[in-house]
Amino acid sequence: MKSDAVKKGIQQAPHRSLFNALGLTEEEMKRPLVGIVNSYNEIVPGHMNLDKITEAVKLGVAMAGGVPREFPAIAVCDGIAMGHVGMKYSLVTRDLIADSTECMALAHQFDALVMIPNCDKNVPGLLMAAARLNIPTIFVSGGPMLAGHVKGRKRSLSSMFEAVGEHAAGKLTDEEVTEYENKVCPTCGSCSGMYTANSMNCLTEVLGMGLRGNGTIPAVYSERIRLAKEAGMQVMELWRKNIRPRDIMTEKAFRNALTMDMALGCSTNSMLHLPAIAHEAGVELNVDIANEISARTPNLCHLAPAGPTYMEDLNEAGGVYAVMKELTKKDLLYLDCLTVTGKTVGENIQNSVNLNPEVIRPIDHPYSETGGLAILKGNLAPDSGVVKRSAVIPEMMVHEGPARVFDCEEDAIAAILGGKIQPGDVVVIRYEGPKGGPGMREMLNPTSAIAGMGLGSSVALITDGRFSGASRGASIGHVSPEAAVGGPIALVEEGDLIRINIPECSLELAVSEEELAARRAKWQPREPKITTGYLARYASLVTSGNRGAVLEIPHRQG
């Protein structure tokens, strides 16, 4: 056992005295030590039930012969952090979570780990840690929130943000906005659409790191407690068989995840997180292959914000496994990948059935023949940009219009809500990338304001920052290289014509190469917005969005 390093031999007598101080018995000292990474806190609605999940996991571990020891991981609520300086501190926690979990696991020599995440950066951060540590590990999330109901229709957090734009446009009264805020988030859990948290919890299932239902069983269902106990028991099987994360998170597993990403219509943030997790697993995952996979993968689900269905509906329809089973009808998945069940993907999904073809379209009747995400390239995004194609209406798939340029999110929101953006415009928000932000803020406020103001069918938005999974419309993020390093987005001027062609995966600035060269010669780097603390360190180490915004040790750069 790995934990023998802190438990066995005369040299470890001081260590044993400290375990005695914890109340461990002699019998417990002989058993595997299992770290339970609990992301519980009292500020994130998606995490407020994780104390119950953790107790169930610990019971499962103990029943199966392990000794569970709990320690924490931080988590930020992206909804609460949205639209102010707090959002600079969201993406950056992914690395803090991975680093702190690594420190705790190795300092205390755990034999195995159970990761209990739920919300946006918490899931990829712990998946990064699992890949880095490579000791037997299983995931069980806190589960999604149930949808709210306003005026007889299911609603969610994205509806709330759009209601603010509708209010600004005079379409909703103060009282109606209050009704929304009281009803759209009715339970604990990760917000109820196919936003980033639910995207990543579903993709954890696809990667093979979570049991069936990890991504879809609602947070308030007792079935989630049973799942947590099963995860606690199953991690002991992984330990006995020495099945490790890198045995599971292989190149084929990541290709499966990208394929399911396209079928489910996941958040654009998956294009940041999957490469970062793969990087830790020693797998090179170039986002360029996303278009190749998208070209052959039909989009089968239109969950909020792309459509009127929610995570609870996906769960009732058969969940992630049912979507995977549909994809096997065209041989789109690698079925021989190992998973935390100890079985292969093919064995896991063998008996899965699509129980609602309105929620999970049959593969011969998809929403579209191509996947939910697209990677765009062109002289405005030489490395890449990403768009949630499944959440773009047909008339915005091809668009051209004049650039309306803003150097921060706040200025753009003021212009949108102030009625200064006109139909046909292309809003450009720059200096919000990983380095320039710093921290690559999500921009749900401007996308929701555009939708709420009735401009969703005529205005596009382009940024070197990123979007919430709750964003919809022609919203193109992760434009790389970013403005802070002199990418072409830094050279755009007010009124420049921008051409977007999502079916052809192109993003072009209609300015001659000679003019761009002249502008580039005049361009000067901006002074960093933040020069102290964690964000300053982060900005000095972070790479571009197309590389997953991973951190690089300086001497390895270039």
Side-chain angles (χ1 to χ4, degrees):
M1 283 189 290
K2 187 179 180 71
S3 61
D4 285 349
V6 293
K7 293 190 303 190
K8 280 194 172 181
I10 193 65
Q11 295 298 322
Q12 279 64 46
H15 305 69
R16 289 194 296 275
S17 71
L18 293 168
F19 283 119
N20 287 335
L22 290 172
L24 294 192
T25 65
E26 190 172 334
E27 174 58 33
E28 286 175 302
M29 297 277 214
K30 298 174 184 175
R31 297 183 178 188
L33 197 60
V34 181
I36 314 298
V37 190
N38 180 8
S39 304
Y40 170 80
N41 64 47
E42 294 183 337
I43 191 65
V44 183
H47 290 229
M48 62 185 284
N49 65 323
L50 296 192
D51 54 344
K52 292 179 175 58
I53 300 296
T54 299
E55 288 306 311
V57 166
K58 288 159 74 173
L59 184 58
V61 169
M63 285 192 295
V67 179
R69 294 287 97 180
E70 178 185 341
F71 64 89
I74 64 168
V76 163
C77 176
D78 277 21
I80 295 173
M82 195 71 66
H84 57 91
V85 69
M87 183 44 72
K88 294 179 185 289
Y89 290 88
S90 172
L91 178 63
V92 303
T93 64
R94 189 181 69 177
D95 298 278
L96 282 174
I97 291 161
D99 292 350
S100 60
T101 303
E102 173 192 1
C103 292
M104 289 294 290
L106 294 180
H108 302 100
Q109 292 292 289
F110 287 108
D111 295 295
L113 295 169
V114 182
M115 306 293 200
I116 309 174
N118 212 28
C119 290
D120 293 26
K121 310 311 165 298
N122 200 242
V123 185
L126 290 177
L127 282 165
M128 289 164 67
R132 189 185 299 176
L133 289 162
N134 203 33
I135 61 178
T137 302
I138 196 168
F139 278 66
V140 57
S141 76
M145 184 184 290
L146 295 178
H149 291 80
V150 180
K151 297 184 181 357
R153 294 179 61 190
K154 285 186 177 181
R155 296 292 191 180
S156 61
L157 184 65
S158 55
S159 311
M160 183 71 253
F161 276 90
E162 289 180 15
V164 174
E166 291 181 53
H167 179 269
K171 298 176 184 177
L172 288 180
T173 65
D174 290 355
E175 291 74 19
E176 287 172 315
V177 172
T178 299
E179 182 182 7
Y180 268 81
E181 66 185 74
N182 286 331
K183 293 181 177 179
V184 298
C185 296
T187 72
C188 62
S190 47
C191 295
S192 55
M194 188 54 82
Y195 310 146
T196 306
N198 293 325
S199 295
M200 293 310 301
N201 282 325
C202 287
L203 295 180
T204 297
E205 264 189 77
V206 181
L207 281 170
M209 291 298 294
L211 298 175
R212 180 177 189 167
N214 178 71
T216 60
I217 298 170
V220 294
Y221 284 14
S222 297
E223 186 182 358
R224 172 86 30 197
I225 300 295
R226 296 199 298 274
L227 181 73
K229 290 177 185 174
E230 289 165 3
M233 291 187 282
Q234 187 60 26
V235 80
M236 297 310 299
E237 280 300 302
L238 296 175
W239 174 76
R240 291 183 186 99
K241 295 175 181 176
N242 196 29
I243 297 174
R244 304 182 183 210
R246 291 193 187 189
D247 300 326
I248 295 169
M249 290 193 281
T250 62
E251 182 177 353
K252 286 183 178 179
F254 282 104
R255 283 181 170 265
N256 280 350
L258 275 175
T259 300
M260 275 290 288
D261 195 330
M262 300 301 168
L264 287 167
C266 290
S267 162
T268 53
N269 282 310
S270 62
M271 291 295 101
L272 284 175
H273 300 323
L274 287 174
I277 299 160
H279 177 74
E280 296 289 354
V283 174
E284 184 64 35
L285 190 66
N286 190 321
V287 295
D288 288 351
I289 68 169
N291 284 343
E292 167 202 325
I293 289 173
S294 179
R296 62 173 182 264
T297 306
N299 177 227
L300 304 182
C301 298
H302 263 195
L303 289 101
T309 54
Y310 294 81
M311 295 306 296
E312 63 203 66
D313 302 312
L314 179 59
N315 188 62
E316 295 301 319
V320 170
Y321 279 18
V323 182
M324 294 177 80
K325 188 63 181 284
E326 285 291 339
L327 293 182
T328 65
K329 295 174 183 177
K330 287 193 176 177
D331 297 322
L332 293 172
L333 295 176
Y334 296 99
L335 300 180
D336 58 345
C337 295
L338 184 64
T339 72
V340 290
T341 65
K343 300 176 182 177
T344 64
V345 167
E347 291 171 315
N348 286 345
I349 68 174
Q350 184 175 344
N351 299 317
S352 296
V353 177
N354 180 358
L355 300 174
N356 189 339
E358 296 301 313
V359 176
I360 304 170
R361 286 279 185 93
I363 200 159
D364 56 1
H365 180 53
Y367 282 101
S368 68
E369 293 293 340
T370 53
L373 298 180
I375 302 298
L376 309 186
K377 287 194 175 187
N379 69 346
L380 187 50
D383 291 338
S384 69
V386 62
V387 64
K388 188 169 184 174
R389 174 164 43 192
S390 61
V392 180
I393 59 174
E395 53 263 45
M396 288 300 290
M397 285 290 186
V398 178
H399 179 77
E400 66 176 55
R404 303 299 308 281
V405 183
F406 304 94
D407 287 351
C408 68
E409 179 187 6
E410 289 83 356
D411 290 351
I413 293 170
I416 296 164
L417 295 179
K420 296 179 181 178
I421 302 302
Q422 303 301 315
D425 286 348
V426 179
V427 175
V428 177
I429 307 177
R430 61 191 181 189
Y431 294 100
E432 290 285 8
K435 285 185 181 293
M440 204 178 189
R441 287 195 285 184
E442 278 187 352
M443 297 193 202
L444 180 56
N445 278 351
T447 59
S448 299
I450 286 170
M453 296 284 285
L455 297 169
S457 61
S458 60
V459 170
L461 198 157
I462 296 171
T463 182
D464 53 7
R466 61 194 179 92
F467 296 112
S468 166
S471 293
R472 63 186 175 99
S475 304
I476 300 163
H478 311 186
V479 169
S480 303
E482 63 174 291
V485 298
I489 193 171
L491 309 179
V492 181
E493 294 183 358
E494 187 80 8
D496 284 349
L497 189 68
I498 292 176
R499 297 190 178 112
I500 300 164
N501 191 318
I502 295 173
E504 293 185 3
C505 300
S506 71
L507 181 60
E508 296 286 341
L509 181 63
V511 173
S512 70
E513 283 303 313
E514 292 78 13
E515 173 62 19
L516 284 177
R519 293 181 189 180
R520 189 172 289 111
K522 296 177 185 175
W523 179 81
Q524 294 292 325
R526 303 280 180 101
E527 287 295 317
K529 294 177 184 175
I530 294 177
T531 57
T532 60
Y534 178 60
L535 280 184
R537 296 199 304 276
Y538 180 88
S540 71
L541 298 174
V542 71
T543 61
S544 64
N546 71 302
R547 295 184 57 195
V550 298
L551 302 187
E552 268 194 347
I553 299 169
H555 71 262
R556 291 182 181 170
Q557 291 179 346

